[in-house]
Amino acid sequence: MLGSQRVVRFDSPHLDIIVQCFRCSTSEAEQIGARATSQTYARNEILSRAGDKIVDTILVVAGLLGERVIELGGRPLQIREYSVGDLFGAGFTGDGTAPFSEICAIRDSQVMSFNVGALLDLAHRYSCVWQRIAVALLEDLNARNEFIASQFGFNATARVCNFLADMAQKSENGAIRPRPNFTDVALQTNTARETVSRTYSRLKRE
């Protein structure tokens, strides 16, 4: 992982997150946490770049991270998000590299890093760790399948409709207010700003 942040040993405030993530007891969480180090990242800071060797497994304990690819034109295209309790990194990337994607902090974030050898040792000691790794692998596969479907299984208009519907669902009153930034939506849906504008206007009329 990149970054010049000061690495500190695991501290107790994250015990509850470890318990929830691994579905383990407090005593097991203490043993798991003791094998990790902690890093903090500011908003928009890059944790790893495309092609970096991935040597740690990451548990998000605060904030929000995003995995994205940078297209030939320089536009970022988000693959998935990692929120508190999500596990990813070494062990989920095949040969240990992430050749097409980078990880960045969407908000100020804090993570716990497990050396893959330490995590495997924990997995041999605690079945809950093996189970969480298996779940994380399925989560990663599902997220990537959804990304492929959203980018290639729908036309541009459908992708925009899907994105706007998700925005409305996450809003407090089920409405998109204020009007979204069409350029940002276009970047997120891999389409043209004009397509977003036309789709938004049509949905508003309906």
Side-chain angles (χ1 to χ4, degrees):
M1 304 296 287
L2 298 181
S4 58
Q5 296 83 356
R6 183 173 62 91
V7 177
V8 298
R9 295 306 305 173
F10 164 76
D11 51 11
S12 58
H14 301 314
L15 268 179
D16 57 337
I17 296 175
I18 298 175
V19 169
Q20 293 172 18
C21 175
F22 292 96
R23 297 181 183 275
C24 61
S25 66
T26 300
S27 60
E28 289 172 330
E30 291 174 345
Q31 297 301 312
I32 294 170
R35 302 294 296 274
T37 56
S38 176
Q39 295 89 29
T40 57
Y41 295 90
R43 181 183 178 187
N44 295 326
E45 188 168 0
I46 303 297
L47 281 73
S48 65
R49 300 185 185 279
D52 283 347
K53 187 75 174 179
I54 305 299
V55 297
D56 294 326
T57 301
I58 303 302
L59 172 63
V60 183
V61 295
L64 184 68
L65 307 179
E67 180 179 358
R68 64 190 184 186
V69 293
I70 307 299
E71 297 185 307
L72 292 177
R75 297 191 306 173
L77 185 62
Q78 187 156 296
I79 298 175
R80 65 171 297 188
E81 293 180 350
Y82 299 102
S83 56
V84 174
D86 283 342
L87 194 70
F88 70 96
F92 303 92
T93 55
D95 63 355
T97 63
F100 304 117
S101 62
E102 66 179 23
I103 307 294
C104 66
I106 297 175
R107 297 197 294 261
D108 290 349
S109 302
Q110 184 173 8
V111 304
M112 292 176 58
S113 300
F114 296 88
N115 176 275
V116 67
L119 190 67
L120 289 175
D121 180 60
L122 287 168
H124 283 297
R125 297 186 183 192
Y126 306 108
S127 61
C128 61
V129 177
W130 270 128
Q131 293 168 2
R132 184 63 184 93
I133 292 173
V135 169
L137 285 168
L138 288 174
E139 291 172 344
D140 188 70
L141 179 62
N142 289 337
R144 295 178 194 284
N145 284 340
E146 289 179 6
F147 171 75
I148 292 171
S150 68
Q151 298 303 312
F152 303 107
F154 300 130
N155 61 29
T157 300
R159 292 199 301 271
V160 174
C161 287
N162 202 40
F163 186 89
L164 293 174
D166 186 59
M167 286 184 65
Q169 186 177 16
K170 291 178 179 178
S171 68
E172 293 182 359
N173 57 5
I176 304 176
R177 293 191 183 92
R179 192 197 77 175
N181 184 302
F182 292 161
T183 300
D184 289 344
V185 176
L187 289 173
Q188 292 294 322
T189 56
N190 194 27
T191 190
R193 185 184 186 282
E194 292 73 18
T195 302
V196 176
S197 177
R198 288 196 303 269
T199 305
Y200 178 82
S201 297
R202 179 173 61 81
L203 292 174
K204 192 174 182 180
R205 287 195 303 270
E206 294 176 353

